[in-house]
C-alpha cells in the first residue's frame, strides 16, 4: 500500500517554524551586537514585556492556544480531527468526560483561528484583566465558557428528545466544538460596563449584540446560540465589575492634584504657602 502524500500544511509549517526561529535569533543577535534596528527591537521587547506583566493570564492562554494549534498543524487530517473531537464539548464528550471536555475545549484551536484569538486577547481579555484583575477575569472567562456550553447542550438535548427525527442526523454527539469564543464573548459583555455613561453603554451593548447575532451567519446554529448566550451572561455579570466601576467613578469625580480647595487655599492635604515661609 502506497504511503499517503504529505499535505501542503505538513510541508509548509516546519518551514514556517524554522523561519520564525531564524527571525528570533537574528533579532537577539541584532540587540546583542548593537546593529541598526537594535533600539527598535529593544523597545518592542519592553512593550511586549509590559503587556505580559499587565495581563499574564491572557498571555499564558494565548501561548497555550498557539502551541496547541501548531501541534495540530503537524498532524494528519484524520488525527487532527480525532484530537479536536476528543476535546470538543459535543454531547458524547460532555456525557462521558464532562470536566475535561468543559475545561480542555477552551485550550484548543486550529491555526486559521489564531488571528481572531489574538484580536480577542488584545481587544477584550487583556483590557478586562487590567481592569478587574487576573482572578476575576479568568473566573468570568471560564464561567461564560462553561455555562454557555451547558445551556447550549441542554437545549440540544431537549431538541433531540422533542424532534429526534429532525435533529439526529445533525450528529450533535460527535461535532467539533472548541475554542475561546464563549468565554471571550462573556468577558466582552462585561467589558461594556467600562463605559460610564449609561446611554452610550446601552448603545455599545446593542451594537455588540447586533454584531454577535449577525456573525451567526458564519457558524452552525448551535454555535451561534452559544455565542449569544455567552454575551448575555456577560451582560448579567455587572456585580463582578461593580467595585471597579465605583473606583473609576471616584477617580473621575476627584479634583485634579493641585486644584483649589473649597476655601481657595490650595490642596487641603499639603502645607499652605504662609506656613512654609513663616510669619512676617
Amino acid at each position: 500500500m502506497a504511503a499517503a502524500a504529505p499535505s501542503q500544511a505538513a510541508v509548509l509549517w516546519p518551514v514556517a517554524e524554522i523561519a520564525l526561529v531564524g527571525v528570533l535569533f537574528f533579532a537577539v543577535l541584532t540587540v546583542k551586537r548593537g546593529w541598526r534596528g537594535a533600539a527598535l527591537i529593544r523597545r518592542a521587547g519592553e512593550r511586549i514585556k509590559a503587556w505580559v506583566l499587565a495581563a499574564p493570564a491572557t498571555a499564558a492562554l494565548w501561548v497555550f492556544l498557539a502551541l496547541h494549534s501548531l501541534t495540530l498543524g503537524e498532524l494528519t487530517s484524520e488525527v487532527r480531527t480525532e484530537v479536536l473531537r476528543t476535546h470538543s464539548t459535543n454531547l458524547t464528550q460532555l456525557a462521558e468526560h464532562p470536566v475535561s471536555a468543559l475545561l480542555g475545549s477552551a485550550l484548543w484551536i486550529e491555526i486559521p483561528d489564531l488571528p481572531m484569538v489574538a484580536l480577542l486577547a488584545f481587544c477584550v481579555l487583556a483590557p478586562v484583566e487590567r481592569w478587574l484583575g487576573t482572578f476575576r477575569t479568568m473566573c468570568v472567562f471560564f464561567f461564560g465558557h462553561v455555562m454557555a456550553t451547558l445551556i447550549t447542550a441542554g437545549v440540544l438535548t431537549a431538541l433531540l428528545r422533542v424532534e429526534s427525527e429532525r435533529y439526529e442526523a445533525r450528529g450533535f454527539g460527535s461535532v467539533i466544538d472548541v475554542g475561546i469564543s464563549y468565554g471571550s464573548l462573556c468577558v466582552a459583555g462585561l467589558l461594556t460596563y467600562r463605559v460610564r455613561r449609561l446611554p452610550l453603554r446601552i448603545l455599545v451593548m446593542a451594537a455588540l449584540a447586533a454584531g454577535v447575532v449577525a456573525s451567526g451567519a458564519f457558524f452552525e446554529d448551535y454555535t451561534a446560540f452559544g455565542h449569544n448566550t455567552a454575551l448575555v451572561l456577560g451582560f448579567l455579570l455587572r456585580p463582578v465589575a461593580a467595585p471597579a466601576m465605583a473606583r473609576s467613578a471616584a477617580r473621575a469625580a476627584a479634583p485634579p492634584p493641585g486644584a483649589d480647595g473649597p476655601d481657595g487655599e490650595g490642596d487641603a492635604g499639603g502645607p499652605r504657602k504662609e506656613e512654609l515661609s513663616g510669619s512676617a
Side-chain angles (χ1 to χ4, degrees):
M1 183 175 180
S7 64
Q8 185 177 6
V11 175
L12 291 179
W13 285 122
V15 176
E17 291 172 0
I18 293 173
L20 178 60
V21 171
V23 170
L24 292 175
F25 176 78
F26 180 76
V28 172
L29 192 62
T30 299
V31 173
K32 185 176 181 180
R33 297 292 180 84
W35 294 342
R36 175 179 293 184
L40 180 61
I41 295 173
R42 190 177 291 108
R43 286 196 299 270
E46 290 173 353
R47 290 183 179 181
I48 293 174
K49 179 182 177 181
W51 186 87
V52 171
L53 292 176
T58 301
L61 179 62
W62 192 90
V63 169
F64 269 114
L65 292 168
L67 291 176
H68 282 168
S69 64
L70 291 174
T71 301
L72 291 174
E74 302 288 344
L75 304 177
T76 63
S77 177
E78 293 78 9
V79 176
R80 179 168 60 250
T81 300
E82 189 59 31
V83 169
L84 290 174
R85 184 175 287 116
T86 301
H87 292 89
S88 292
T89 50
N90 54 52
L91 296 183
T92 299
Q93 292 298 320
L94 286 174
E96 297 178 357
H97 313 286
V99 176
S100 61
L102 285 170
L103 299 181
S105 59
L107 301 176
W108 288 89
I109 59 169
E110 295 191 79
I111 290 176
D113 297 327
L114 273 177
M116 179 56 68
V117 169
L119 184 66
L120 290 172
F122 279 100
C123 298
V124 177
L125 297 179
V128 173
E129 187 173 1
R130 290 193 296 267
W131 180 39
L132 299 181
T134 297
F135 179 74
R136 288 187 181 184
T137 301
M138 289 296 99
C139 286
V140 171
F141 175 84
F142 281 104
F143 172 82
H145 176 77
V146 171
M147 290 304 299
T149 298
L150 292 178
I151 293 172
T152 303
V155 171
L156 291 178
T157 302
L159 291 174
L160 286 171
R161 291 178 179 176
V162 174
E163 300 185 50
S164 58
E165 295 182 359
R166 178 180 178 184
Y167 289 100
E168 275 184 354
R170 299 283 300 277
F172 291 136
S174 60
V175 295
I176 294 177
D177 189 16
V178 295
I180 65 168
S181 57
Y182 289 0
S184 297
L185 284 172
C186 183
V187 175
L190 186 61
L191 181 59
T192 58
Y193 290 102
R194 191 73 188 269
V195 181
R196 289 198 297 268
R197 296 181 180 275
L198 183 59
L200 183 57
R201 184 193 306 159
I202 294 175
L203 182 62
V204 171
M205 286 180 167
L208 182 58
V212 172
V213 171
S215 70
F218 302 97
F219 299 97
E220 294 284 353
D221 48 6
Y222 60 87
T223 302
F225 177 82
H227 289 167
N228 290 295
T229 301
L231 183 64
V232 172
L233 289 173
F235 289 156
L236 296 176
L237 290 179
R238 185 185 185 281
V240 177
M245 294 170 64
R247 289 194 298 269
S248 299
R251 285 195 298 267
D260 289 341
D263 297 328
E265 297 178 349
D267 188 359
R272 295 188 306 177
K273 183 177 179 181
E274 291 82 2
E275 295 173 347
L276 292 174
S277 58
S279 58

